[in-house]
């Protein structure tokens, strides 16, 4: 069977990250600009090849000062490292979900990660486009990617947790 190309539908997709702040609440941010592509065997996604590229300049947490800090040298250093990238190494079916393994590059550091992609199904939109939907989730340790800025708290603990949760709602369009 020939490889099928699927491209991200950015108007029906979102990618968020969640990080504990002061160890008592969670701050949510998102990338507003990103692209992704799937290469599959027909409509089967096991063993698919996945690539992703996200624009750090589009990072948004709803607070301009915090966004500028995150884009600066203490965190992502967006002037030097403008993108986050991911390339899959394997996609395995796990019940109705997929386990996606691959290499994530942030701030010039590439590390292996494992994500879960819950398959939402395939549907045809009113304009005849075939779409596939996935809910993505996973966790990374931000310090492994050179995102090490933090501050100790007087009460113990740190300002920003090491664990970052990744959440995505991704819709792909089947290419002719």
């Amino acid at each position: 069977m020939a490889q099928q190309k699927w491209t991200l539908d950015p108007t029906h997709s979102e990618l968020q990250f969640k990080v504990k702040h002061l160890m008592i609440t969670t701050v949510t941010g998102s990338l507003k600009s990103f692209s992704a592509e799937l290469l599959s065997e027909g409509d089967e996604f096991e063993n698919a090849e996945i690539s992703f590229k996200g624009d750090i300049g589009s990072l948004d947490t709803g607070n301009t000062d915090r966004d500028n800090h995150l884009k600066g040298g203490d965190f992502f250093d967006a002037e030097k490292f403008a993108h986050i990238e991911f390339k899959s190494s394997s996609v395995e079916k796990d019940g109705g979900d997929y386990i996606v393994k691959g290499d994530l590059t942030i701030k010039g550091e590439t590390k292996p990660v494992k994500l879960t992609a819950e398959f939402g199904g395939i549907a045809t939109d009113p304009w005849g486009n075939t779409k596939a939907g996935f809910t993505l989730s996973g966790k990374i340790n931000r310090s492994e990617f050179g995102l090490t800025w933090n501050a100790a708290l007087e009460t113990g603990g740190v300002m920003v947790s090491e664990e970052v949760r990744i959440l995505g709602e991704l819709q792909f369009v089947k290419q002719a």
Side-chain angles (χ1 to χ4, degrees):
M1 183 176 279
Q3 278 199 325
Q4 177 62 54
K5 182 177 177 179
W6 301 77
T7 57
L8 186 78
D9 177 352
T11 60
H12 297 104
S13 298
E14 60 184 44
L15 187 63
Q16 297 180 323
F17 58 91
K18 294 182 176 283
V19 181
K20 284 279 191 192
H21 180 256
L22 300 176
M23 311 320 287
I24 59 171
T25 58
T26 299
V27 171
T28 301
S30 63
L31 288 182
K32 298 295 185 183
S33 177
F34 59 96
S35 60
E37 183 178 284
L38 288 171
L39 293 175
S40 66
E41 293 294 326
D43 293 348
E44 295 297 321
F45 298 101
E46 189 166 26
N47 301 315
E49 295 175 26
I50 304 166
S51 59
F52 163 87
K53 188 173 188 176
D55 178 10
I56 293 297
S58 73
L59 185 144
D60 181 14
T61 65
N63 180 286
T64 302
D65 290 339
R66 180 174 48 222
D67 294 348
N68 290 336
H69 188 205
L70 289 170
K71 293 173 191 176
D74 282 344
F75 285 95
F76 288 100
D77 198 0
E79 283 188 28
K80 188 173 179 185
F81 303 101
H83 297 97
I84 293 174
E85 296 186 26
F86 174 81
K87 178 81 173 134
S88 67
S89 57
S90 70
V91 178
E92 299 173 0
K93 198 162 179 69
D94 181 26
D97 298 339
Y98 294 92
I99 303 301
V100 179
K101 294 179 183 176
D103 292 324
L104 179 64
T105 302
I106 300 174
K107 202 174 175 181
E109 296 286 334
T110 302
K111 302 288 181 196
V113 298
K114 182 173 100 172
L115 306 166
T116 300
E118 180 184 332
F119 182 50
I122 294 177
T124 302
D125 72 14
W127 300 273
N129 298 303
T130 302
K131 305 238 182 138
F134 299 89
T135 297
L136 184 71
S137 63
K139 296 176 186 177
I140 63 168
N141 181 318
R142 67 183 179 89
S143 64
E144 291 179 355
F145 295 93
L147 305 173
T148 57
W149 183 91
N150 221 334
L153 301 174
E154 286 182 20
T155 56
V158 292
M159 187 176 294
V160 184
S161 71
E162 293 294 308
E163 181 181 277
V164 178
R165 290 182 287 148
I166 299 169
L167 304 163
E169 291 294 333
L170 307 172
Q171 193 173 110
F172 289 86
V173 183
K174 188 180 207 178
Q175 302 301 298

